[in-house]
Amino acid sequence: MEDAPYRLIDVRQPALFIRGHLRGSWNAPFEPGRALEAPETSHPTVFVGIAGVIARRAAQAWSEAGHAAVYYLHAPFAALERALPAERFARAIVVEPEALVAWQHKG
């Protein structure tokens, strides 16, 4: 969705993102009190979460970090999923980022 006039950031946990997400969205799990790690963009950024509450907090944190044109969708994800194109994966293995820190390739 690089040609879209906005960047859509899904702030839900990876396991929920993999089960289904809005087409073209990026996954950047948000936890209040931690820095949000979302891709930089020159386009307006739109945050989406389970029910809009965490998306609002993520948008506020992103704005406070100096980013302009920040929005959030204040709607339950299930409603958004029915209204907008969604993607699902048939099979996936979820690995939490913390697990990757300790992993080393033995090759």
Side-chain angles (χ1 to χ4, degrees):
M1 190 172 261
E2 217 31 69
D3 55 343
Y6 56 86
R7 171 68 52 86
L8 187 61
I9 306 292
D10 188 323
V11 296
R12 297 174 305 140
Q13 293 301 310
L16 293 175
F17 182 80
I18 287 172
R19 287 186 203 139
H21 56 271
L22 302 178
R23 185 171 297 138
S25 62
W26 293 67
N27 184 227
F30 177 71
E31 294 179 30
R34 290 184 63 186
L36 179 64
E37 297 179 22
E40 292 289 334
T41 180
S42 59
H43 297 299
T45 305
V46 181
F47 291 89
V48 61
I50 292 175
V53 176
I54 297 297
R56 178 181 54 80
R57 290 180 184 164
Q60 182 178 4
W62 196 241
S63 177
E64 289 172 356
H67 301 278
V70 178
Y71 307 93
Y72 71 95
L73 297 177
H74 185 69
F77 184 80
L80 295 172
E81 193 175 31
R82 286 190 299 271
L84 300 171
E87 295 177 338
R88 286 183 171 33
F89 297 101
R91 292 178 51 146
I93 298 173
V94 178
V95 178
E96 296 301 326
E98 294 79 18
L100 295 176
V101 173
W103 182 82
Q104 292 183 355
H105 176 68
K106 309 269 190 208

